Structures are given as structure tokens and as C-alpha cells.
Amino acid sequence: MILKFEKYQGAGNDFVIIDNREGKFQPSIDTVEMLCDRNFGVGADGLMLLEKDEKNDFYMRYFNADGKESTMCGNGGRCISVFAKSLGLGSPEKVVFNSIDGLHEAFFIEEDGEIFVKLKMIDVKEIEEHDDYYFINTGSPHYVKFVEDLEEMDVFEEGQAVRNDPKFAPGGTNVNFVEIFDDEIFVRTYERGVEDETLACGTGSTAAAIATALFLESDQNNWDIEVMGGNLHVSFDRRDDGTFENVWLTGPAEKVFEGTINVD
């Protein structure tokens, strides 16, 4: 079949997105892998399907580049929201969509011709503090470790070792390394399913901001985050029980190109 797609990126995290409201496309692992392959396909960190939802503007399905359907992707959620806006879904100001981890709102902010998306993430309740790392579920599982000289670190080698550590089996984990600079943090992420470092990770940046507040024992609830592909922002409110609510991820999202491709 001839498949129409659009390609989006948010801070360098890139995605193939398909309007699947009619339900005609049922992707196999091989098809997703091909579409995401940077040599033989379109090339992306993941594939998203925009599907019908009875109560909300749409449903978001996310597949990693390895072809497997996966958990929530924060930058993907921001990108698919802009795609939905282009289809006339929701209102000019926002969309509301459902996904594997629950309901999300996305607000559109335009500055100097660039679109930023402020995405509401799930409440963060699953937080583990270990001797030298945090383990936090922000819609996807994330290992967060604080380091120095992050720019020089071999994130692929270090991240791959943690991702495949038996203690995170069978699903594995995303791996984030964080360096703190005053009120800003620098984050690099090895993503499971991509099996490589990505230029940005939304759920990872969210986990890193929350872990930083805990690590510093800080009341700061707004964090500017530098990632390899640009800049993101995370804000949240902390409950008395140590969990987090009103968690928001903000950053740019844009269409890169569109096209068609022949798939089996």
C-alpha cells in the first residue's frame, strides 16, 4: 500500500506520524523498523499513529524505532499535537488526547513564527532513590544519574550497559545522565527501543528535572534543560507526600517534511 506520512521533530527528537483515524494501517514490527531506518526508510526515533478516540480529540500510539509499541513519548506527544492541529482537531489553542499512560493536554504557544507546545504529563508517583541514581516513571521508565563533564561522556557505552542491566529486565530502561549548572541542567539520554543516544527525550528530561529537585533538596519547580538537540523546559508542583503533579513539558515542535512510501 502507498502510505502517506509526515515527519516532525522536537528538539531533535524526530518522528514519522501517520493519520490512522480510518484504521487502515496496522503496522508490523518489520514495517515500523523500515520506516524508522535512516538508510532504507524515512528515518526517525519512532513512529506515531494518530487514531480516533471516542471522548477526546485523538488517541496517540507510539512505536520505538525497533518496531515495538512502547510507552509514552513526551516530545512525540508535543509533535503529534502540532500534527493534530494541522488536521483541524481540537481548538486553535489546544488539543486533548489519550495515550497508553492516560490523558494529556497540549497548549500551543507561538513566538516569532515558531510553535512551542506545552504538554501536560502524568502525575509522577513512582520514584525510587538509590545510592547513586534515581528511578522515575514519567510515563516511561527512566534511570537518572548525576555526573560531571557530561559533554565528554560516552553516553552510548554507559547507557547501553545500564539499559541492559538485569535488574531492569525484562523491559529495560531509558538512561539519563545529568549535569547541573546553577538553575539549568544538561541532559543526555540513551533510549531503549532506539538503542542509541537521541538528541532529546521528553519523558527523560521530565524525570531529570524532578530528580534534580530531589537531589538538591530544592523547592525550585521550573527547570530549563539543555539537550543535544536544543532546549526544553519542565515545571511541576510537589505534593506533601513527595509525589509530583501539574507536570508540564514545554519545547519546540515542527513539521520537517511530508511524503509517501510504499509499504507491504
Side-chain angles (χ1 to χ4, degrees):
M1 66 180 290
I2 301 298
L3 187 66
K4 183 178 179 181
F5 69 88
E6 295 190 10
K7 171 83 175 279
Y8 278 74
Q9 67 89 12
N13 213 182
D14 60 343
F15 310 95
V16 174
I17 308 181
I18 295 166
D19 179 359
N20 199 39
R21 285 176 290 176
E22 295 183 2
K24 294 181 178 179
F25 179 54
Q26 296 300 322
S28 67
I29 289 178
D30 288 344
T31 300
V32 176
E33 281 188 303
M34 183 276 292
L35 288 169
C36 293
D37 191 290
R38 298 190 184 278
N39 294 305
F40 298 100
V42 180
D45 293 326
L47 167 75
M48 287 184 288
L49 302 183
L50 184 149
E51 300 189 334
K52 282 186 177 179
D53 187 271
E54 292 183 0
K55 297 182 179 179
N56 304 289
D57 296 323
F58 63 92
Y59 186 89
M60 167 187 165
R61 288 179 70 193
Y62 179 71
F63 298 80
N64 278 323
D66 66 358
K68 299 175 183 177
E69 191 161 3
S70 189
T71 47
M72 179 59 185
C73 175
N75 287 328
R78 296 190 307 97
C79 286
I80 201 172
S81 296
V82 178
F83 177 66
K85 178 180 172 68
S86 75
L87 297 177
L89 300 177
S91 71
E93 294 80 24
K94 76 169 186 174
V95 292
V96 179
F97 66 92
N98 209 348
S99 66
I100 193 169
D101 67 334
L103 204 62
H104 296 269
E105 295 176 274
F107 289 85
F108 306 110
I109 305 164
E110 188 168 342
E111 293 182 4
D112 300 324
E114 186 174 8
I115 294 180
F116 291 80
V117 181
K118 183 177 182 180
L119 176 69
K120 189 169 188 182
M121 309 293 284
I122 63 166
D123 291 351
V124 178
K125 302 175 181 178
E126 298 176 45
I127 302 170
E128 299 176 16
E129 184 174 351
H130 298 266
D131 290 340
D132 63 346
Y133 71 92
Y134 291 84
F135 190 73
I136 301 175
N137 186 347
T138 55
S140 289
H142 284 277
Y143 168 105
V144 182
K145 183 175 182 177
F146 294 93
V147 300
E148 297 181 353
D149 298 321
L150 178 54
E151 189 171 351
E152 304 301 321
M153 187 174 184
D154 188 339
V155 168
F156 177 83
E157 182 177 352
E158 298 287 342
Q160 186 180 58
V162 175
R163 181 260 186 269
N164 292 305
D165 191 305
K167 66 172 166 278
F168 300 116
T173 184
N174 301 286
V175 183
N176 305 271
F177 300 103
V178 183
E179 187 169 4
I180 302 172
F181 298 101
D182 298 324
D183 60 350
E184 179 180 273
I185 57 176
F186 177 33
V187 181
R188 295 178 65 183
T189 303
Y190 180 98
E191 287 198 52
R192 66 174 186 172
V194 180
E195 305 309 332
D196 203 348
E197 181 180 4
T198 55
L199 294 180
C201 178
T203 52
S205 293
T206 302
I210 288 173
T212 301
L214 294 170
F215 179 72
L216 296 178
E217 298 181 349
S218 170
D219 292 331
Q220 182 174 330
N221 61 359
N222 285 273
W223 292 91
D224 291 322
I225 301 169
E226 179 186 353
V227 293
M228 297 298 285
N231 295 282
L232 298 169
H233 183 83
V234 172
S235 63
F236 47 75
D237 293 326
R238 192 186 307 197
R239 296 190 182 112
D240 292 339
D241 63 2
T243 61
F244 294 79
E245 63 184 354
N246 296 321
V247 182
W248 295 90
L249 170 69
T250 304
E254 66 173 355
K255 179 179 175 180
V256 180
F257 61 85
E258 63 181 70
T260 59
I261 189 169
N262 190 15
V263 299
D264 294 331

